[in-house]
Amino acid sequence: MKVQVASFCRTQLPRVSRTFALNIPLLPEPLDLAVTVAYLLCRIADTLEDEAPGALHGALLDELGALVSLEPGWEARARSFARRARLALRDEVPPAEAELISETPAVLETLASLPSWVHPPIARCVRTMTGGMNQIQRMHGGSGQVMGLPDLQATFMYCYYVAGVVGEMLTGLFVASSPRAAWREARLLSRAPAFGRALQLTNILKDVREDLDRGSCWLPRDRMAAHGLTPATLALPSLRANAVALMDELVAVARRELDVALEYSLALPVEEPGLRLFCLYPLFFAAATLDALEGNPAVFEPEPVKIPRETVATLMRLTQERVGSDEALRALYARFSRASRGGAEAWS
């Protein structure tokens, strides 16, 4: 393996994701580097979706989806892609994400250096993700950014394309790297999409104001309409009570998905604590985030709602202490999931 490009991937990870910089190092080698590369490739796709004009990002996403197959001649195509993708980004793109786009060839080179069993799950994930992003844009974006999706089913479809497929990819990597996990493949695969969707839906709710300021919205328009809202009026102070009621309804939906994500995490073998903790960290962060969002009008203000670092540290410690006990983990999860989940069944 070429140390320099692998080092770039490991160094870049915490610059573009604080959460995954915490849990990926818990994975055994070479799974940790494989998941790092997979995350960075998905982040490249996400950056193109968010930061490149709609007229350009569709073709770039298609090209990224093709590059991950590492067909002969991919090196030159990757360098050309990186140059054009960097020029397509808006001026306000975060520097770390711009650098990641520019270093796409290094990420792909690291992927090429990894064992062959790593390649199929990652390539399928990135192809499905980029194709799905383009499909959502064609169906719901018109000539600009997506400003609301028709209904919850469409929001779930979007969450599948950008995160549910990641759950499936992770399952493929876990099963290929761990004989113990391979015995549980069927249980894992049936829950894998919900694991990804739960985390993505939590992020959509947490980042609703940031997305609106960027000119996009991934919430269902029919549920907004039921509360007398549209994407254009969602953040108006005069309609804050309506927006909070909408948020609480969607938090309940996210919790239902998170319940399945817990079952996914507990389906991983106790003998593989790194795999379990990798999934449990973001799961419990999401549960705490949903508690912070529920009934909180501040989520529609410019300053993002975040769980305190002390809470993050506590959750990490508590999950580490309980990682070998399903019963203890269920009890901990219950502390971060409200008993009242009215309305969630209607949208599951």
Side-chain angles (χ1 to χ4, degrees):
M1 180 180 299
K2 295 184 179 180
V3 175
Q4 187 174 1
V5 292
S7 177
F8 168 79
C9 292
R10 294 187 191 278
T11 302
Q12 195 71 8
L13 178 66
R15 298 187 64 211
V16 294
S17 175
R18 287 184 297 176
T19 297
F20 285 94
L22 294 173
N23 66 343
I24 288 179
L26 300 170
L27 297 171
E29 294 182 351
L31 187 59
D32 61 336
L33 185 57
V35 175
T36 296
V37 168
Y39 176 83
L40 293 178
L41 289 168
C42 292
R43 190 57 179 261
I44 290 168
D46 186 61
T47 299
L48 291 173
E49 182 187 48
D50 288 345
E51 307 292 350
L56 294 174
H57 81 221
L60 290 168
L61 286 170
D62 283 342
E63 193 169 352
L64 178 64
L67 279 170
V68 293
S69 295
L70 301 177
E71 297 293 337
W74 67 264
E75 296 93 339
R77 291 195 298 274
R79 290 192 293 271
S80 174
F81 166 86
R83 288 192 297 269
R84 287 179 285 110
R86 179 63 186 88
L87 289 173
L89 300 179
R90 66 189 183 100
D91 293 339
E92 298 83 1
V93 63
E97 296 186 10
E99 182 182 5
L100 177 59
I101 292 285
S102 296
E103 295 295 335
T104 301
V107 181
L108 289 170
E109 188 175 347
T110 308
L111 174 63
S113 71
L114 286 164
S116 58
W117 56 264
V118 165
H119 298 170
I122 293 179
R124 178 190 176 277
C125 174
V126 176
R127 285 195 303 266
T128 304
M129 179 180 292
T130 54
M133 286 175 169
N134 275 337
Q135 179 179 328
I136 293 292
Q137 178 67 33
R138 287 192 299 268
M139 292 173 62
H140 307 297
S143 58
Q145 294 282 83
V146 173
M147 282 301 287
L149 293 164
D151 49 33
L152 193 66
Q153 183 177 2
T155 296
F156 269 22
M157 180 181 293
Y158 174 73
C159 289
Y160 170 75
Y161 282 136
V162 299
V165 294
V166 175
E168 293 172 343
M169 174 200 68
L170 290 170
T171 303
L173 293 174
F174 293 165
V175 166
S177 64
S178 167
R180 294 188 180 96
W183 281 100
R184 300 163 183 241
E185 183 174 10
R187 290 174 61 191
L188 291 166
L189 280 175
S190 65
R191 297 166 173 85
F195 176 79
R197 285 196 309 259
L199 301 183
Q200 182 63 28
L201 187 53
T202 299
N203 284 337
I204 287 174
L205 298 179
K206 173 179 67 72
D207 297 335
V208 61
R209 177 58 188 265
E210 179 183 345
D211 287 340
L212 287 170
D213 290 345
R214 188 188 283 123
S216 62
C217 178
W218 306 102
L219 302 187
R221 287 196 299 268
D222 65 338
R223 301 318 310 154
M224 285 188 271
H227 291 274
L229 298 163
T230 68
T233 63
L234 188 56
L236 290 179
S238 59
L239 295 175
R240 193 53 44 88
N242 306 54
V244 170
L246 169 69
M247 178 63 61
D248 289 352
E249 177 183 324
L250 296 177
V251 163
V253 173
R255 284 203 178 106
R256 292 274 295 189
E257 289 289 280
L258 208 60
D259 289 348
V260 184
L262 176 67
E263 297 308 313
Y264 176 87
S265 304
L266 297 185
L268 291 164
V270 173
E271 298 85 357
E272 296 280 10
L275 304 189
R276 282 192 150 208
L277 288 171
F278 171 85
C279 295
L280 290 167
Y281 278 10
L283 185 152
F284 279 107
F285 298 162
T289 297
L290 291 174
D291 273 2
L293 299 180
E294 187 172 17
N296 187 357
V299 72
F300 297 100
E301 299 293 340
E303 186 69 23
V305 172
K306 297 180 180 179
I307 57 175
R309 291 188 177 185
E310 296 78 10
T311 300
V312 170
T314 298
L315 286 172
M316 290 169 62
R317 175 177 57 81
L318 292 175
T319 52
Q320 289 171 14
E321 293 171 354
R322 293 159 173 77
V323 67
S325 169
D326 289 2
E327 181 180 0
L329 288 167
R330 290 185 193 280
L332 180 62
Y333 177 75
R335 288 170 52 185
F336 292 92
S337 299
R338 305 285 175 87
S340 176
R341 301 184 180 201
E345 291 82 357
W347 316 115
S348 62

